[in-house]
Every structure is written in C-alpha cells, then in structure tokens.
Amino acid sequence: MTIQIRKGKRATEPQCLGSQRSLNSEDLLFPNQTGDSKAAVYFQLSNGRFRPPPAHRLIAHHIVDTIAPIFFRVSRTMWLPLRLTLLLLFLLLSPRALLRSGSAAVVSGEEEEFHEELLLKPLPDRKVLAHFHFHSIAPPSKSNGRHHHLFPKAISQLVQKFRVKEMELSFTQGRWNYERWGGFDPISSNNAKPPGVELWAVFDVPEDQVDAYWKNLTNSLSGLFCASINFLESSTMYSAPKWSFRITPGRLRYGTLPREAVCTENLTPWLKLLPCRDKAGLAALLDRPSIYKGFYHSQRLYLTSNASVPAETVSGISLEQTLTVVLQPNSPSSSSIHSGESNFQPSWSLSSIFGRKISGKCVLAQSSIVYLQLEKSIFSEQKDNMDNGPNSLASEGFAGGSGFEMSLDPDIVIEEENQSQHKGSSVLYGFWVEKYNESQPFDLGLKWKYPVFWSSRQAPLHASRFLMGSGNERGAIAILFKSANSADSSSGSRHVSDGCELQVDVFQVVPWYIKVYYHSLQIFVDDEAKPIGDFVHKIQVSPSKDKTSPGMMEMLLKLPCDVRSAALTLEFDKGFLHIDEYPPDANQGYDIPSAVISFPSFHSVMHLLSNDSIRKSPLLSRFQEKNRVQSYTEVLLVPLTTPDFSMPYNVITITCTVFALFFGSLLNVLRRRVGEEERYLKAGKKKGWLRVLLSRLLAKLRGKPMEEPDQPSSESAPLIGKKLVLKVILVAVLAVAWQFYST
Amino acid sequence: MATANTEEEKSKSEQQKNHGGGGGFTRWAVLAVIFRLILIYFPGNLNLSSRPEVSTPLTSIRRLAEGYWLKQSSMSPYAGSMYHGSPLLLSVLGPLTVKRTILTYSVANAELKGSLVTFYADLISGILIRATGWKLQMTYRKSLKSLNLLNKSTDSGGLSSGDIAALVYLWNPFTIVACVGLSTSPVENLFTILTLYGAATGIAPLAAFGWVMATHLSLYPAILIIPVILLLGYGPDAPPSKLFRSKENGKVGDDTSSQDIIFSWGRVLHLLVWTSMWSVYVLVLCSISVKQHSSLQEMFQRTYGFILTVEDLSPNIGVLWYFFAEVFDFFRDFFLIVFHSNILFMILPLAIRLKHRPCFLAFVYIAISSMLKSYPSVGDPALYLGLLGLFLDELADMQFSFFLFCGYVGVSLLSPVMHNLWIWRGTGNANFYYATAMAYACFQIVLVVESVSSMLNHDRKLMKLSASKLQK
C-alpha cells in the first residue's frame, strides 16, 4: 500500500486497497519498465539539500528497507544479492531521475509536504515526555488526480469515500496525569486522550446519512488499524454531541472503546502511513519495547480536509500523526551518585530513553526538528539558588552555564512570551536533525547539575470522577472538581469578584445499561448542596434507550472563580442484560467512558516570539492555535449482575412446567363433572342443532353409542362420510398451503 | 423487616376478625389508617421505593419522576427507556415528585405528598371494596332467599364478607408496602376496584370510567370487560341459573318465564357507549398532554408495547424476566406469544363456567393476570387477596388455605433475603431468587385453581341442597 503511494504516477491504478499488494517483485527489479521510476520522486523531493553519495546510499537503503520486508519476507536468504542489485539499479537510474525531477517541480505549484518533529520535555516527576509530530499535507489539486507522492493513499481514499471533514482517532494506553504532567499546555489539551480508542469524525453529508457514513468509516478504520473500531458501528456505542465536545457544531459523531488494548499491531499500520515508516528520520526512534514500557502512550491521527471543493478536484487533506509517550529515563549512575537527593532529576539522552539514535532526517521530510522544552521557572529558581546568575537568562548561557547541560548546541532558541503569568512559560531549544547523519548520529542528552523543582501548569479545575454506592442494583456517578491551586486562584491574575465566573463544559456518555436518573442531578459547591439552577447554566440530555442508544449529557456549569471544590452526582440503576449480551468476562464489569471536561474561557496557547522557523513548523503553529483547555476523567468500571449462564435449558423447562401446571390444572377443574351433573347434562338436552352436534361429538369421543330414538341412524352415516372427506380435503389444503408458503 | 411486622399484624387482625363484634370494622380500619400514617411519617427512610418487589419499571415512582423531569425540560417523557406509564399519571403525580428546593425538609415533604396520594387511593379502595361487598352480599342473600336456601348460620357471624375484604385489603402487608413504597399500583388498583364497584351497583358510566382508566394505566384490566358486561347484564353474583330454572320447573312446570336469567342488553349498551366516550376522552387528554414532544403512537409503543414485549429484564417477583434473560433470541417471539396467550386462553372457559358469578370471575381474571403479567409487583397480589375476602362465605371450605397462607408468608420473607444475597452481597445466585419467584407462581396457581374448584363445589352443594328441598 505504501509502496504504491510513494511510487507516484502509474498508468493503471488498482482501485482496491488489497489489490495494491499484487505488485510483484519484477516491477521492483525492473523499474524502468513501469513508466516513471520510483526514484524520481525521491530525488525530486530531496533536491534542495542534495549530497550525492550519502543520500544515494541512504535512499537506496531506505527503499530497500521499506519495500523489501513486504515482498521478500519469505526469502531471507535472497536478501543480500537482491539488495545489491537494487542498489546498483538506483545508482544507474539517478542522473535521469534528477533531470526529470527538476521539470516536475516546476509544473506543480503546490506540493505535498511532510514534516517531522519531536518535542522532548522533562516532567516534574522525573519522567520525560516525548511527543512525535508528523504532518502530511496534500494540497487540493486537479492535476494529481488520485495520485499522491507522499500522502498516504489509504487516508485520502478514506476521506474521499466517506466525505470526512475532520476526524480524530487515538489509541491510548495509560492515563495522563493531569496533576503532575500539566493540564493547561497544548499537549495535555490536545494529546492527552482517554484510555483505549477514541474516535470522532465530522462528515460533509446530509444529516440523515451521517450514521451510515459513520458505520462505514468505523469498519474501514478497523481494518486499517487492526483494532476493534468496528464495535463503534453499533448505535449503542456512539453519540452525537451538540456543543460541549467541540465548539464548532457539525455532523459530528463520537465514540470510545475504553477497553481496547493498544499495542504494536496498532502502531505498525500507523507507522505505515509515514513516508519513511520507522526506517529513517525521527520515527526510527520508536523502539517498540521502550515506548510500550512507558507510563503513557497515545498515538493519534488527526485529519482535516477542506470542504466544499468542486467535484472533479480532490480535496486537500492535512494529516497530523502524533505519538505522545511518557517515559521514565533509567539512569542508575546518577541516582547512585546522588543517593541522598531523591529529587534529583535524572539525566537522560535519546539513546538512553529509546535505545536508539537518530541517524539523520527522513529524506522525504521538508523539516525535521527536535525541540527540547524547558520551563522558565527552572531558571528563575536557579537564579534564586545561585548568586552568580545575572546573565544566565541569555539564551547562549543556558546550555553551558547553569543548572543543566545539553550534549549538543541548539540551533535555535525560542522563548514563550507570556506577559500575564510568569509561571508556565517555557523555552524551546530547536535542533535541526538534517545536520546529522549515520556517521554522526543525533543523540541529544540532558544532564542536570543541580536538583531543580517545578510544577506544570494546571487547568483551573482538576476533574475526577468516581462511583458511589455498593451492590449491583444501583449507584451514583460523581464528578468532582477541585480547584487546582487555590492560592494561585485567589491571589493570582484573575481578579476575584462576585461577577467572576468559571465556565466548565461537561460531556459524558453513559452506556444504556447504566440507567441514569437525570432528575437526581445534585450539585455540591464547597461541600454544600446547592440548587441546580444557580450553577447549571445549560444542560442537554439525550437519555439512553435500551439496546438502541447510549445516554448523553452535555452541561455548561458556571462556577464562581473562588470555588474550592464542586461535585456533581447522578444516580443510576444498573441494567440487566440478556445472556447473549454479556461479554466473555462478564464478571469483570463494564466501562463507562471518560467524561470530557473543558473550560471554554481558557485557552491553551503558547505565545511564541514570532520567527520564520516557527511559521514553518507545524508543531509550533499547532501550539499557537487557540484551543480550549480540555481534560478527560477516569474510566469507571461498573460491575453488573450476571444471571447463571449455564441455566437456559433449566429455566425454559422449569418455567414451561409451571405454565403447563397452571393451564392444565385450571382447565381440569373447569371441565370436571361430578356424577349428577352428567345426568343434568343429559336431561337438559334441547332440540337445538348445535347441542345435538355437540352431544354427538361427545358421544363419539367417548366411544359410546348415541341414544337418539327420534333421529334415524341411516341419515347420519353419509353425513359422517361427507365430513370425513371434508376434513381430509381441509388437511390436504393446509398442507399444500404450508408447503407453498414455507418455501 | 416491615413485611414481617405487618405480617404479624395481619394474622392478629385476622384473629380479631374471627372473634370481633360488629364495631370491629371501623376500629380496625382506623387502626390501619393510623398505621399507614405512622409508616409514612416515619422519620427513618425505609427505602421501600427502590425495592424490586415494589417498583417495577411500570410502577416505579423514580421512573415517573424522571419522565416528569424530561417533560419539564421540554423532551418527550418517553425519550429514553425510563418511563412507561400513562401521561395522565405523569401530570397528576409528576408535580409531587419534584424537589422544589434543595433543603432536605422539603424533599421529604414532596415524598410525603406522593405517599399521601397512594394513601388516599388505598383508603378509597378499601371503602369501595366494602361497598361492593355489601351489595354482593345483599343480592346474594336475596337470591338465596328466593331459592329458600338461606341458612341462618351465615347471618350470625360478626363481620360481613365486605368488611373482611376491606380489612384484608387495608391490612395486607403487600398493600401497605406498595402504599408506603410510593408505587403507582395503589392507583391502578383503585381504578380496578372502581370498575367492579360500578358494575356491581349497576352504575354503567362509573364502571366504564374505571375500566377505561385501569386499562389505560396497566393494560391487563382490559380482560375485565367480560365480567363487567356479565355483571351489568345478569346482575351481581348469584347461584347457578339452572337452580332458578329447575326451581321454577318444579313449581310451575313452565320453562319460558324465568325472571332471573334475563340478560339486560340495555345496560350493556349503555356501558359500551360510555366506554367509548371515556376512551375517546382519555385519548384526547393523552394526546393533549403528549402532543408537544411526542405522539400517541409513541405513547402506545412505550406503554403497551413495553408491557407486551418484555424489554426490561430487571428482576421482579414474576417469572418472565429470568426466562427472557435466558431464552434464546430465536424463540423469544414464540414464547412471548405463548405466555401472553396463556392469559387469553383461560378467558373463555372461565367465562362460560362462571358466568353466573361475574364478580368471582373478575377476581380470577385479576389473579391470573397478576400471576402471568410481565412486570408484577406486590400491588397485584394485594388487590386479588383483598377481593378474595369478598367470597369468604362461598370459599369457606377451600382446601390448602393454611398451606397457602404459610406459602405466601414464606415467599415474602425469603424473596428479599435471596435478592439481598444475589444483588447486594454477591454470595447468592440468580437462581436462588428465581426459585422464590417460581415458588410464588406455584402458590398463586394453587390459589387460583383451588378457589375456582371450591367455588364450583359450592355451586354443586347448592344444587344438591335445592334438589333435596325440591324433593321434599
């Protein structure tokens, strides 16, 4: 699949995704036979900074590395000769390709772009955050048609087929620790995701078709990412938030799978979307054992396509792939030296965290930058600690002078201009990866000289959610907001007055078997029960329907700024399911997906001092976007009562026995006659024809001869015969009809 | 615990009834009222309103409050799967469930108002049962007198059957629990009793109103239309018509002029006209109250549809929930039809056999439907046990009555224990609770079968008596 995309223009385009793998090895071995060569694209894109011998080797190496595992998995022994042949072929081809690439670049004004960036950030609790950011852009174009140079074809097909306007898919393991790792900065607002899979998409189709498109999309994504996203197809699993999840309304669908296990089988398809996969560039750092060892791991895919394009042109798509990991650098040496100081930040380097080094950029990337983000407050503290630090804030002085030491000199230093609040602003050191190569790999290291303390900036309220009550019949969900920093909020920049209000959006989806009583909503502000109308500014509820749709609650709270704590409680009844609806591990319990808490009046935005390099960098421009501060609460685990799964036959038989007992005994009582009544029955015989018929039937059933002197017996014989014939005919007709209709 | 207490009270009251004199009724009725008020104003929360025995999806007051809340926040009360009751009940009981202010005092006040509604419903039901009993007894004695079968011994027994029935209804722990537990079943029961009262006293509009409302509220009373027609057509319960006929045969020898078996079509037509009027009225009221956010069709789907397709599988004292939680999906529709037709199949045989006793027929119908209904609660046995008291004289020689009494007591004590073990402690199993539900169903079956059988035996005895008298 990825081969196809990178190969560029091809005369015959296979439509089916699966059939693209039918590209056989002869195509590879004799590339000049299949129209444009593969190498052309590569040289065209890397023509800016072209260094012939290493780049050649690199490209060839890279292509061999990426293509070969797919096609030559079987023949490991053939590997070395093939590699050599390919290398030779590329070397032969390169002058021609170079010539052609120059002309191609002139023709198409806008090009597909690919950027790769990595942000490293030490966290206050001795961990390191690594945030990979890969950005692919396919501009809207008529000329390219369905062909792409760099952009993953699977994604562009997805966007075109399902008319996706905006989509975000995230796979997460672990919980983002909002208290320690920050809740206000762009990374925590955009990239901290709930455990499991979260998917939302905005479609560019009429409202009545959105559900159908959503279902198709989930199935395709499920196949694309090797995950059980197709479970989101069921209408009990997704919802349509109106205003609390995203500010921009639209034909939005939202679904989560809290229990999805995320592992390498999800990462590999995700990496396949990158032009260099994990063979070169920053993605080469992604050593599976080391990233899955971490405390938090979230891979995310966010795409937007510009809507309302004419039918013939292909819409432009911007694809943002991010991978956020929180890792614990293991530095036994430093801890043994400073054993007395447990708070000493560990020193680390890229190779110690990931076990790998970056050997140059991905040649297809337009930019490849590594950033190191440090809080400014570190320096101020250092200034306090040390007397000789008047000039330490000068950007050059950081690297060598004060509390830490970087193994490499930064190429650029970007400061965040944050006038209002001293706390939380940070400094970014940028490193150009393209300067490094295999012989001189990029291995950034950070060494702390002194113990430093700082804390990440918090969201105004820290939200957590928990269950109340015991037993399997009912319970209550509580969402607790705690003021992140009471001292800060009272004496800080926000002026505390009566009019000051803190807006909080709550968006919560509850599966249908948790039957929430929305009328039981209670609100406690500073541990006191308060009337709901005073704080709940707006509430929208779509209650759950059994086996049809989940319950969804959207709420806009307006709390006073000096609030210390606020709690919402909602009571619920636990539902009882049919035995087929229980999952295999029924006694483990059921997950209530995370609630989304956002603060519409707070925006996580970094005001960076404007620079040309910032404008070019997608990561930094993303940081500079105004996004509202958002956080996810915990996933709740609700145990549900189970019936006895081994009992269906017993239950059916016992219940039916009881019903039969009822029916039989009651009917028996009703039709029982005691001796005299028989005589009454016979005595009370009247001339009515129905009664005669009945008595005749009764007599026949009892096998007794009828005593009817006034009726001649000769008459009845043909009658019975006729009846018999009629009956036989009736049965035959019924049988024929049955046969006819049942087939 | 409360059940146990009231159970004792019941047995005590029954002892008292056996010995008590004529003034006993008012004393015991007032005591029942006071007992209820004590329980209602009891400061500690008995938490009966969330018991599975009291609140089924149809009768739960919490669900009603949720429906009212949805309606107040301009949504359909049937949005979501919470409320499945009538929109009229919603507009009457709904405002009482609202917690106007957050202070706990007024919360209690709102609940008090709700339970006062059920309290009044119970009180009126008791009075109506007593009046029905009086009416039944009077007409029955008259007809017996006309047959010369009245023996003096029945006169001397202190309380009349109507009084006893009313007391049984008022003192029944099931009724008390349903009343204090704020379920809507006392209201449904009230309308059922109103139907019987109206039919027994020959007030067709009242009977029609009661029947329409009861059917609207819980669907199953729909089958009561047959006893109501018979009641209005033939008049209240009487000995079999054959007796009158044979008596006249014996007297006059002419079988054409028999006064008592005239079926008065006029009253039945009257009833039907009133029924159609009331149902149109109720439907119009419903459509007015639901027209803003939903439709009548949705209402029928969410009320009757919910009852007929047993959608909610939460445990109750019936047998269907576990059955449909376990049965294979493929057979679900088949068994739904089978179980519902079990009620319908018994209608005709019973009506043929017991047409001379329409009130008893109504009792049997109510008992059967409360046994086989999808979401039974304790309010249903409360109703038919109360009505059972009306036929004390006829059912005097019923078999297994002590066994049944013990069975009911045992089940009502064991069932909460098993529920607690299964749901709250997790040490029990669903089968334990289901077993008590099965036992309860069996006891109900025995009760219905035995009462029908002893009523038929009673008729036989009467015939024998009249035959012997005629021979003399």
Side-chain angles (χ1 to χ4, degrees):
Chain A
M1 187 160 49
T2 43
I3 312 293
Q4 187 60 51
I5 290 151
R6 243 172 273 133
K7 235 173 71 55
K9 291 168 190 171
R10 233 189 127 203
T12 52
E13 188 71 45
Q15 287 301 314
C16 171
L17 281 174
S19 71
Q20 287 171 16
R21 293 205 175 180
S22 64
L23 196 71
N24 53 15
S25 54
E26 280 142 56
D27 282 358
L28 268 173
L29 289 173
F30 308 103
N32 43 358
Q33 287 177 358
T34 57
D36 289 343
S37 76
K38 291 157 206 67
V41 184
Y42 286 87
F43 288 102
Q44 172 205 331
L45 284 157
S46 59
N47 57 2
R49 296 168 285 274
F50 184 57
R51 277 184 292 176
H56 246 97
R57 217 176 63 211
L58 199 103
I59 293 158
H61 185 219
H62 160 72
I63 287 186
V64 168
D65 267 6
T66 46
I67 296 167
I70 301 170
F71 299 103
F72 305 109
R73 226 170 258 160
V74 273
S75 57
R76 211 64 186 160
T77 48
M78 277 175 65
W79 177 228
L80 202 71
L82 256 172
R83 188 165 166 158
L84 285 171
T85 329
L86 274 173
L87 231 157
L88 211 73
L89 268 168
F90 278 114
L91 281 171
L92 285 170
L93 276 165
S94 55
R96 247 175 72 197
L98 259 176
L99 284 173
R100 216 180 276 174
S101 68
S103 60
V106 171
V107 168
S108 60
E110 282 181 285
E111 279 182 34
E112 295 183 356
E113 288 176 23
F114 173 68
H115 301 270
E116 54 174 7
E117 279 151 303
L118 167 65
L119 180 91
L120 294 163
K121 185 182 173 186
L123 293 171
D125 59 343
R126 303 159 56 82
K127 297 187 181 67
V128 176
L129 169 84
H131 176 66
F132 293 84
H133 187 104
F134 304 101
H135 199 117
S136 311
I137 302 163
S141 63
K142 212 184 265 186
S143 58
N144 278 350
R146 291 208 193 99
H147 308 291
H148 292 287
H149 297 292
L150 283 172
F151 198 80
K153 180 161 184 175
I155 296 297
S156 74
Q157 280 182 333
L158 205 76
V159 168
Q160 274 151 37
K161 186 151 190 199
F162 303 122
R163 318 275 295 277
V164 181
K165 224 160 113 186
E166 207 175 350
M167 187 189 95
E168 182 172 6
L169 171 68
S170 66
F171 297 87
T172 310
Q173 233 178 13
R175 274 198 66 227
W176 181 265
N177 192 336
Y178 286 96
E179 277 171 326
R180 288 184 164 176
W181 305 341
F184 205 94
D185 52 329
I187 288 184
S188 66
S189 306
N190 293 330
N191 294 298
K193 288 287 167 191
V197 169
E198 187 200 48
L199 172 69
W200 61 264
V202 182
F203 296 91
D204 187 25
V205 290
E207 185 64 48
D208 55 330
Q209 293 173 27
V210 174
D211 286 336
Y213 275 85
W214 166 266
K215 283 169 188 176
N216 289 330
L217 177 71
T218 54
N219 277 307
S220 326
L221 284 176
S222 174
L224 202 59
F225 288 102
C226 291
S228 38
I229 307 172
N230 55 330
F231 286 136
L232 291 175
E233 181 190 0
S234 146
S235 64
T236 56
M237 296 298 289
Y238 66 86
S239 54
K242 296 279 188 306
W243 42 267
S244 59
F245 182 64
R246 302 271 301 166
I247 310 161
T248 49
R251 296 176 176 111
L252 175 68
R253 292 292 178 272
Y254 172 90
T256 53
L257 294 170
R259 203 179 279 181
E260 181 75 12
V262 179
C263 204
T264 50
E265 79 263 21
N266 307 117
L267 183 68
T268 310
W270 184 84
L271 283 171
K272 266 189 185 172
L273 303 176
L274 301 174
C276 294
R277 301 185 62 186
D278 58 345
K279 300 297 172 193
L282 298 180
L285 280 178
L286 295 173
D287 174 45
R288 307 298 195 284
S290 52
I291 61 168
Y292 284 106
K293 204 166 62 181
F295 289 82
Y296 177 81
H297 165 92
S298 170
Q299 75 186 60
R300 176 172 157 272
L301 183 134
Y302 173 74
L303 64 89
T304 48
S305 75
N306 48 352
S308 70
V309 284
E312 63 269 16
T313 56
V314 176
S315 58
I317 310 163
S318 139
L319 173 68
E320 195 181 296
Q321 284 175 267
T322 63
L323 179 77
T324 314
V325 281
V326 174
L327 301 168
Q328 175 87 62
N330 43 353
S331 51
S333 58
S334 70
S335 64
S336 64
I337 291 165
H338 306 276
S339 54
E341 297 165 85
S342 60
N343 285 323
F344 206 91
Q345 284 278 337
S347 301
W348 49 265
S349 67
L350 280 183
S351 55
S352 77
I353 297 174
F354 293 105
R356 291 184 188 180
K357 292 171 185 173
I358 303 172
S359 52
K361 67 179 251 185
C362 168
V363 277
L364 300 169
Q366 294 217 323
S367 63
S368 178
I369 310 168
V370 174
Y371 294 103
L372 178 68
Q373 188 183 6
L374 290 172
E375 300 277 325
K376 248 185 201 167
S377 52
I378 298 172
F379 309 117
S380 63
E381 275 174 28
Q382 279 167 10
K383 246 197 300 187
D384 295 342
N385 289 344
M386 299 189 299
D387 298 322
N388 56 342
N391 60 341
S392 64
L393 263 173
S395 57
E396 287 81 23
F398 288 149
S402 49
F404 63 92
E405 197 176 345
M406 284 184 284
S407 66
L408 302 164
D409 285 335
D411 295 301
I412 185 170
V413 180
I414 305 161
E415 274 188 64
E416 188 184 355
E417 53 167 348
N418 209 334
Q419 318 89 330
S420 56
Q421 276 173 312
H422 179 68
K423 199 187 164 192
S425 58
S426 55
V427 182
L428 286 165
Y429 300 96
F431 302 89
W432 312 129
V433 179
E434 66 205 45
K435 293 199 301 188
Y436 302 88
N437 54 29
E438 227 169 321
S439 57
Q440 188 200 348
F442 177 79
D443 185 14
L444 176 68
L446 186 72
K447 208 170 187 183
W448 297 95
K449 289 180 177 171
Y450 306 101
V452 285
F453 308 97
W454 77 95
S455 59
S456 303
R457 200 173 162 205
Q458 303 291 313
L461 293 174
H462 179 254
S464 63
R465 194 172 63 157
F466 51 91
L467 285 174
M468 301 196 297
S470 67
N472 282 335
E473 197 178 14
R474 56 181 179 269
I477 305 174
I479 302 177
L480 179 69
F481 300 101
K482 263 191 211 155
S483 182
N485 206 339
S486 54
D488 185 49
S489 66
S490 58
S491 64
S493 59
R494 268 175 288 147
H495 180 64
V496 179
S497 63
D498 293 333
C500 177
E501 272 179 340
L502 186 62
Q503 289 190 13
V504 185
D505 266 348
V506 182
F507 167 61
Q508 176 168 273
V509 178
V510 175
W512 68 265
Y513 35 80
I514 305 296
K515 300 175 174 181
V516 177
Y517 291 100
Y518 292 102
H519 78 269
S520 66
L521 176 70
Q522 275 181 294
I523 186 160
F524 299 87
V525 176
D526 293 337
D527 301 331
E528 259 178 70
K530 291 281 168 68
I532 293 154
D534 294 2
F535 296 100
V536 179
H537 187 66
K538 191 172 160 192
I539 181 167
Q540 187 159 12
V541 162
S542 88
S544 61
K545 271 186 190 150
D546 284 358
K547 295 169 194 182
T548 313
S549 67
M552 186 185 70
M553 185 184 74
E554 295 171 274
M555 195 191 288
L556 174 61
L557 291 173
K558 281 192 175 169
L559 300 170
C561 282
D562 54 346
V563 67
R564 284 192 312 277
S565 73
L568 294 170
T569 62
L570 275 171
E571 289 172 26
F572 64 83
D573 273 358
K574 295 182 184 179
F576 291 82
L577 311 180
H578 186 263
I579 46 168
D580 291 348
E581 290 163 343
Y582 286 95
D585 51 348
N587 286 306
Q588 190 192 338
Y590 286 78
D591 294 305
I592 303 181
S594 298
V596 185
I597 312 292
S598 48
F599 304 94
S601 47
F602 291 86
H603 298 280
S604 61
V605 56
M606 284 173 95
H607 297 283
L608 299 172
L609 292 163
S610 60
N611 196 331
D612 275 351
S613 61
I614 297 166
R615 252 175 254 130
K616 270 189 218 158
S617 157
L619 175 68
L620 295 186
S621 53
R622 187 93 180 120
F623 280 179
Q624 283 178 305
E625 280 173 21
K626 247 187 152 187
N627 283 313
R628 53 184 188 168
V629 175
Q630 186 170 305
S631 62
Y632 288 85
T633 64
E634 295 92 340
V635 169
L636 296 178
L637 185 66
V638 184
L640 288 190
T641 317
T642 54
D644 192 337
F645 293 108
S646 58
M647 281 282 280
Y649 290 102
N650 301 359
V651 168
I652 291 169
T653 48
I654 293 172
T655 313
C656 288
T657 309
V658 169
F659 272 76
L661 181 75
F662 157 73
F663 193 80
S665 55
L666 190 55
L667 219 59
N668 184 39
V669 162
L670 286 177
R671 66 149 287 282
R672 192 171 57 206
R673 312 270 174 195
V674 190
E676 303 160 52
E677 288 175 358
E678 305 253 1
R679 267 187 282 130
Y680 272 116
L681 210 71
K682 284 165 196 164
K685 226 169 267 166
K686 288 281 164 350
K687 295 287 183 288
W689 64 271
L690 195 73
R691 207 165 278 192
V692 171
L693 242 161
L694 270 176
S695 64
R696 197 181 283 165
L697 211 77
L698 269 175
K700 203 183 285 169
L701 281 175
R702 282 175 195 157
K704 284 180 195 166
M706 285 196 312
E707 55 263 36
E708 281 181 80
D710 51 349
Q711 266 192 322
S713 57
S714 58
E715 228 175 84
S716 60
L719 251 171
I720 291 162
K722 251 186 212 168
K723 263 188 202 163
L724 205 72
V725 170
L726 272 173
K727 269 181 202 165
V728 168
I729 290 171
L730 188 74
V731 167
V733 165
L734 275 177
V736 167
W738 177 261
Q739 195 68 27
F740 183 75
Y741 281 111
S742 59
T743 50
Chain B
M1 232 186 285
T3 323
N5 283 338
T6 46
E7 202 68 48
E8 284 175 26
E9 297 283 349
K10 187 197 169 187
S11 58
K12 248 190 262 173
S13 78
E14 277 180 354
Q15 282 174 11
Q16 195 67 31
K17 261 176 260 158
N18 295 339
H19 304 295
F25 173 74
T26 35
R27 206 168 64 220
W28 279 106
V30 167
L31 268 179
V33 167
I34 289 168
F35 183 63
R36 238 161 262 240
L37 284 175
I38 287 170
L39 281 183
I40 287 169
Y41 285 97
F42 192 65
N45 192 2
L46 291 173
N47 219 355
L48 286 171
S49 57
S50 51
R51 297 287 314 165
E53 295 88 5
V54 175
S55 68
T56 64
L58 293 175
T59 60
S60 161
I61 196 86
R62 290 175 82 204
R63 285 179 181 249
L64 191 138
E66 178 74 7
Y68 185 71
W69 185 85
L70 288 174
K71 198 182 166 192
Q72 289 302 102
S73 47
S74 68
M75 291 175 79
S76 161
Y78 300 109
S81 306
M82 269 300 178
Y83 185 57
H84 300 283
S86 144
L88 300 180
L89 210 57
L90 202 65
S91 35
V92 173
L93 284 182
L96 303 179
T97 60
V98 175
K99 299 166 182 176
R100 279 200 187 75
T101 52
I102 205 70
L103 298 170
T104 44
Y105 171 71
S106 40
V107 170
N109 222 8
E111 277 177 3
L112 275 186
K113 271 188 224 154
S115 49
L116 282 181
V117 169
T118 55
F119 167 75
Y120 284 125
D122 266 5
L123 203 61
I124 298 168
S125 304
I127 293 165
L128 286 178
I129 286 180
R130 191 171 183 232
T132 317
W134 273 106
K135 176 75 186 163
L136 282 181
Q137 205 169 25
M138 274 166 61
T139 48
Y140 194 65
R141 282 193 184 169
K142 214 164 72 186
S143 53
L144 279 187
K145 221 172 248 174
S146 71
L147 287 172
N148 294 324
L149 285 176
L150 191 67
N151 48 352
K152 300 290 176 230
S153 61
T154 49
D155 254 350
S156 55
L159 291 169
S160 71
S161 60
D163 293 351
I164 290 169
L167 280 183
V168 166
Y169 185 77
L170 285 178
W171 271 109
N172 193 339
F174 292 153
T175 329
I176 293 168
V177 165
C179 170
V180 178
L182 275 175
S183 84
T184 59
S185 49
V187 182
E188 289 161 17
N189 289 351
L190 170 67
F191 283 110
T192 314
I193 291 167
L194 191 70
T195 313
L196 289 183
Y197 171 76
T201 49
I203 310 169
L206 195 64
F209 175 69
W211 181 76
V212 167
M213 281 309 292
T215 308
H216 172 65
L217 289 181
S218 62
L219 182 64
Y220 287 97
I223 54 172
L224 289 184
I225 191 71
I226 294 169
V228 167
I229 286 175
L230 291 175
L231 260 177
L232 286 172
Y234 289 125
D237 294 19
S241 49
K242 275 174 208 157
L243 278 185
F244 296 101
R245 227 181 285 136
S246 58
K247 185 188 157 206
E248 304 208 336
N249 284 349
K251 266 188 178 174
V252 192
D254 181 22
D255 51 359
T256 48
S257 70
S258 48
Q259 60 201 3
D260 281 312
I261 47 170
I262 290 172
F263 190 78
S264 57
W265 285 104
R267 282 158 91 184
V268 173
L269 276 178
H270 200 201
L271 171 87
L272 293 179
V273 168
W274 273 103
T275 305
S276 48
M277 276 174 62
W278 282 121
S279 26
V280 167
Y281 182 62
V282 165
L283 281 182
V284 166
L285 276 184
C286 284
S287 63
I288 286 171
S289 68
V290 300
K291 82 168 177 232
Q292 276 180 323
H293 312 294
S294 66
S295 60
L296 271 186
Q297 196 201 346
E298 193 193 5
M299 184 196 93
F300 282 122
Q301 260 177 14
R302 288 317 180 96
T303 52
Y304 294 168
F306 180 76
I307 293 172
L308 293 178
T309 63
V310 188
E311 282 167 22
D312 195 303
L313 301 174
S314 50
N316 53 41
I317 54 175
V319 289
L320 295 194
W321 64 273
Y322 201 50
F323 187 88
F324 285 110
E326 297 264 352
V327 81
F328 309 103
D329 251 355
F330 181 73
F331 292 112
R332 189 184 161 88
D333 294 338
F334 168 72
F335 278 110
L336 275 177
I337 293 168
V338 167
F339 289 161
H340 289 303
S341 58
N342 244 318
I343 300 177
L344 297 178
F345 277 156
M346 291 322 288
I347 288 177
L348 203 64
L350 281 167
I352 291 170
R353 204 76 170 87
L354 292 168
K355 64 175 182 296
H356 57 282
R357 291 186 185 276
C359 236
F360 183 73
L361 183 64
F363 155 75
V364 176
Y365 281 175
I366 290 167
I368 288 175
S369 63
S370 75
M371 177 171 61
L372 302 180
K373 76 196 298 187
S374 344
Y375 313 100
S377 71
V378 288
D380 303 305
L383 176 62
Y384 72 72
L385 288 177
L387 291 181
L388 184 66
L390 288 175
F391 313 103
L392 268 191
D393 297 336
E394 290 87 342
L395 300 180
D397 46 0
M398 191 172 133
Q399 282 179 310
F400 305 129
S401 49
F402 181 68
F403 167 72
L404 279 175
F405 177 73
C406 294
Y408 270 78
V409 172
V411 164
S412 55
L413 291 180
L414 264 185
S415 168
V417 172
M418 292 304 172
H419 186 263
N420 187 284
L421 281 183
W422 173 39
I423 300 283
W424 293 94
R425 293 181 197 280
T427 50
N429 189 319
N431 300 337
F432 293 16
Y433 186 65
Y434 175 66
T436 59
M438 285 321 292
Y440 176 61
C442 288
F443 285 126
Q444 281 176 310
I445 288 169
V446 173
L447 178 80
V448 168
V449 170
E450 279 310 311
S451 60
V452 170
S453 138
S454 58
M455 183 55 92
L456 292 175
N457 280 336
H458 181 73
D459 283 349
R460 281 187 198 114
K461 212 172 80 185
L462 281 182
M463 269 188 201
K464 225 181 251 174
L465 269 175
S466 76
S468 61
K469 280 198 177 166
L470 277 177
Q471 277 166 9
K472 280 174 199 170

